[in-house]
Amino acid sequence: MAYDKFEILTSTAVPLPIENVDTDQIIPARFLKATERKGFGDNLFRDWRYNSDDSPKSEFVLNNPTYSGKILVGGKNFGSGSSREHAAWAVYDYGFRCVISSFFADIFKNNCLNIGVLPVQVSTEFADKIFKAIESDANTEIEVNLPEQTVTLKATGESESFAINSYKKGNMLNGFDDIDYLQNIKGEISEFAKNLPL
Amino acid sequence: MGKTLFDKVWDAHVVRSIEDGPDVVFIDRHMVHEVTSPVAFRGLKSRGLKVMHPEKTFATADHNTPTINQHLPVEDPLSAGQLKALEENAAEYGISHWGLGHEKNGIVHVVGPEYGITQPGVTMVCGDSHTSTHGAFGAIAFGIGTSEVEMVLSSQCIMQPKPKKMRINVNGDLQKGVSPKDVALYIISKLTTSGATGYFVEYAGDVFRNMTMEGRMTVCNLSIEMGARGGMIAPDEKTFEYIKGREKTPIGADWDKAMSYWETLYTDEDATFDEELNFEASDIEPMITYGTNPGMGIGISKSIPNATDVEGGVETYKKSLGYMDFNEGEDMIGKKIDYVFIGSCTNGRIEDFRAFADIVKGKKKADHVTAWLVPGSHKVEDAIKEEGLLDIFTEAGFELREPGCSACLAMNDDKIPAGKLAVSTSNRNFEGRQGPGSRTLLASPLVAAASAVNGVVTDPREFLS
Ligand code: SF4
């Protein structure tokens, strides 16, 4: 399904400075039973966010009213583990449009790009700067500028550029997805399939 | 310049390359299961698209199926709904479906090789990250997300940039009691869970040459746990011998034609890798994990490292040990365990059950240990019975369950209770992976068996003569 266009996002951010956040934490397997893509945001970080009796864990950042925004800032190696796209859906459905980290696991990053969540990989130093800025002021605004490929701390103007290939960038800017692209070259795919090695 | 094994297979499947973008890659085999496909089929319907190649698509139910009383209706309405959706979608689009109760049913990465769906030199995907398993045959195989499942259903292609290439060589002889699982856990402990992110790995060297096909599957299966997209091993006589005569394996002239392609599938001598790593087989001990990711593994006779001696953040490390209720410097051997799980696409094949039986034969399971023995497929289950392993298990106090993913991801009722410590032959020890609050130690079937008998973490070498 095509998704919202992404151009410039300016927002406060939610910090999660934990390394190796895996997709089983982002959305535990027992919440993967739906046959429709809806409601996954409620179970985002379920077991970090709620006790077993469903009462919220007050120390977890999503339960802390100080922090909010459309940007999630995660620790290194964010999204490792399972290929479940439900993890990216949960992030999106909760209201995040962008995840910033100093390093992403491959499949999660791909899944995000496929559903319109922008993964922004920054240097470890810049990630630390962002965490510090949010820690000292939870209302710190971050600008993620896709056309320019920059991420900027609004208060200080400190900025870093990020990489994204021009094909994916075009998709995000226009809200297109790969299925649209592939449907347009179906003839070419059929021709190709006639000469496969097996 | 020469090409790597990976280059050869990848390049043969590139429909077109987009400048400063991904390659459009043709997919030969698409495995589908009940959990990551329903939304993809919905997407297909809402766009009014068809399945382009139903004959290249194979569905099996495994992630969310019960492992007892499979003949009875599935009680949980949500789980039943997923199984029904898979059945209906398969019927509507003409896809082969080995659902719950079907004689060929089993874990997607176990049945693929069993029935010859997996072959050298093919491209293969599935909405499950351990699709890398099939790389053992010299296939390019990797896990994809649900959007990509929809892409492959509708166009038989995915769009991804060509990954970088890494070769991991392990040479020399393995010590007694060291299994393919240990080799993989050892490599992951050296690389960490992100050490191979962005790479596709080729495994080479004596250790993998000498390994059985099932052992190679275990190793390739775990490639994703060091962040790699997948891992592969060049096909050889063992590979061809293994696939010969299986249901979907070509025969006659088709076999000869396939062989002429398969025999080209090796890395040329002058090919280069972006990264090459070497390990010594004799350095590897039976392994066990002590933390909450598969990179947190050590030789079983060692003690838990100090936070200051490991790479990465001290806070994250302490959080992980805190979850496990372990302390720095503690020994792993002797820790009292509550559960043992043998199964999953990592170690749920017949050789794994044979290894388990070798140790428990003539002994008794410790009373306080609950053991779940879950075959990877009906075929594995049948072999366990035919080879007399079931009798060994029964005598030693173990029960055999029915096939499925089971406690590997604990989507069904097979959940390790909160706080309980389990030795598992599966692939992930993340917080809550095997049930909310569960604590997992990843290990080989030998370690699992020895620990099940003693009721504490045990070095299997003490049982091997
Ligand atoms: S056994 Fe575990 S890893 Fe393998 S396919 Fe099933 S859930 Fe995935």
Side-chain angles (χ1 to χ4, degrees), chain B residues 63 107 109 128 130 344-345 405 408-409 427 433:
Chain B
H63 277 61
I107 303 174
H109 312 311
D128 181 280
H130 294 93
S344 87
C345 59
C405 294
C408 174
L409 88 165
N427 40 58
R433 167 81 178 185

Side-chain angles (χ1 to χ4, degrees), chain B residues 128-339:
Chain B
D128 181 280
S129 56
H130 294 93
T131 307
S132 58
T133 312
H134 310 272
F137 294 80
I140 289 182
F142 53 89
I144 56 175
T146 296
S147 295
E148 289 171 307
V149 171
E150 189 181 336
M151 280 174 222
V152 182
L153 289 172
S154 58
S155 69
Q156 207 59 35
C157 287
I158 54 138
M159 300 182 69
Q160 287 199 5
K162 190 174 180 179
K164 289 183 284 184
K165 290 158 289 177
M166 179 187 285
R167 181 158 62 187
I168 297 178
N169 306 295
V170 187
N171 282 300
D173 293 319
L174 291 174
Q175 296 177 41
K176 186 182 66 177
V178 175
S179 70
K181 178 68 162 287
D182 301 305
V183 175
L185 286 177
Y186 176 84
I187 298 171
I188 301 163
S189 76
K190 296 292 173 196
L191 268 80
T192 79
T193 50
S194 57
T197 302
Y199 291 90
F200 214 97
V201 174
E202 179 178 346
Y203 299 97
D206 309 335
V207 164
F208 307 111
R209 279 290 135 246
N210 296 335
M211 228 174 237
T212 63
M213 286 313 294
E214 294 197 358
R216 292 178 189 180
M217 287 186 235
T218 300
V219 169
C220 289
N221 172 282
L222 289 163
S223 304
I224 181 77
E225 304 308 337
M226 50 191 174
R229 217 59 225 284
M232 64 201 302
I233 295 174
D236 57 11
E237 275 313 311
K238 247 182 231 173
T239 319
F240 305 136
E241 206 40 55
Y242 183 98
I243 57 175
K244 208 175 249 170
R246 293 185 188 259
E247 186 179 316
K248 311 263 181 205
T249 304
I251 47 171
D254 290 338
W255 169 272
D256 296 340
K257 179 173 171 249
M259 262 312 255
S260 61
Y261 168 53
W262 293 342
E263 279 170 347
T264 67
L265 300 177
Y266 54 84
T267 290
D268 296 331
E269 265 181 39
D270 55 341
T272 54
F273 289 84
D274 300 287
E275 180 87 50
E276 180 136 24
L277 301 172
N278 295 293
F279 298 103
E280 274 306 315
S282 55
D283 289 344
I284 308 174
E285 264 200 282
M287 296 285 294
I288 195 153
T289 64
Y290 57 88
T292 53
N293 72 57
M296 299 174 80
I298 44 171
I300 195 164
S301 67
K302 307 235 163 58
S303 48
I304 298 174
N306 291 323
T308 44
D309 296 338
V310 293
E311 255 183 73
V314 170
E315 281 310 306
T316 301
Y317 186 76
K318 294 208 158 156
K319 179 178 183 293
S320 176
L321 286 195
Y323 179 86
M324 292 303 292
D325 200 14
F326 292 164
N327 296 302
E328 296 163 53
E330 278 175 4
D331 284 340
M332 289 307 292
I333 290 180
K335 278 195 185 299
K336 188 169 176 222
I337 60 160
D338 308 294
Y339 279 75

